[in-house]
C-alpha cells in the first residue's frame, strides 16, 4: 500500500472521529453522574456540600437539586450547568450518618427547545 493512501485513510479516520464527537456533544444531553453530599457544616443554618459530575454530551443549562433528609431537613438549590459543586442551605437539622435523597432536575436547551430530565439518588452523610 502506498504512503498517500495511508495518509488519506489516517486523515479520513481522524476527521470522522472529530465530527462524531462534535455531533455527540451537541445532540446528546450529558448525564448527571454521582451526585452526593460530601459534608454538613454550620450551626445556625446548616449547609450541605453537594458535588457531582457529568458524562459525555452537552451539559444542561441549569440543574435544580432538592434534598430531603430522613430527619425532616430539606433544602433546594439551582445551579448553572457548568457548576460541579454547591452549598445547599437546609431547613431543619441534618446530622452525620443520616440518610438523604437527592432529586435532580436537569434543564436542557436544544435547537430552541427546552426539555427536562429528572433523576433521584439516595445516600448517607458520612
Amino acid at each position: 500500500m502506498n504512503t498517500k493512501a495511508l495518509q488519506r485513510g489516517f486523515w479520513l479516520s481522524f476527521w470522522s472521529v472529530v465530527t462524531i464527537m462534535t455531533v455527540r456533544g451537541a445532540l446528546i444531553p450529558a448525564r448527571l453522574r454521582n451526585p452526593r453530599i460530601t459534608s454538613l457544616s454550620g450551626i445556625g443554618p446548616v449547609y450541605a456540600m453537594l458535588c457531582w459530575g457529568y458524562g459525555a454530551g452537552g451539559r444542561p443549562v441549569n440543574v435544580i437539586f432538592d434534598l430531603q433528609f430522613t430527619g425532616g431537613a430539606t433544602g433546594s438549590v439551582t445551579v448553572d450547568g457548568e457548576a460541579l459543586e454547591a452549598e445547599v442551605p437546609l431547613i431543619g437539622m441534618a446530622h452525620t450518618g443520616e440518610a438523604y435523597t437527592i432529586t435532580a432536575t436537569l434543564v436542557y436547551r436544544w435547537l430552541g427547545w427546552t426539555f427536562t430530565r429528572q433523576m433521584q439518588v439516595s445516600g448517607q452523610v458520612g
Side-chain angles (χ1 to χ4, degrees):
M1 196 176 232
N2 66 24
T3 309
K4 288 267 191 200
L6 286 173
Q7 285 179 341
R8 191 175 314 127
F10 169 78
W11 287 111
L12 179 63
S13 298
F14 173 79
W15 287 113
S16 296
V17 169
V18 168
T19 302
I20 289 169
M21 295 307 287
T22 301
V23 168
R24 180 180 181 187
L27 298 180
I28 297 174
R31 289 179 172 250
L32 190 67
R33 302 244 174 182
N34 199 21
R36 63 196 178 281
I37 295 175
T38 56
S39 65
L40 297 172
S41 63
I43 297 173
V46 175
Y47 291 89
M49 188 60 168
L50 181 64
C51 66
W52 62 93
Y54 293 103
R59 289 203 176 173
V61 176
N62 58 35
V63 184
I64 304 162
F65 290 102
D66 295 308
L67 278 57
Q68 177 73 43
F69 287 82
T70 54
T74 61
S76 183
V77 67
T78 301
V79 297
D80 183 71
E82 296 299 317
L84 295 175
E85 62 183 18
E87 253 188 355
V88 183
L90 300 176
I91 298 171
M93 289 299 289
H95 305 284
T96 301
E98 193 171 345
Y100 62 84
T101 301
I102 300 172
T103 303
T105 305
L106 294 87
V107 180
Y108 296 94
R109 187 169 296 132
W110 182 68
L111 297 176
W113 294 90
T114 302
F115 65 97
T116 62
R117 291 207 171 151
Q118 194 171 56
M119 71 174 289
Q120 195 170 53
V121 296
S122 296
Q124 191 166 356
V125 180

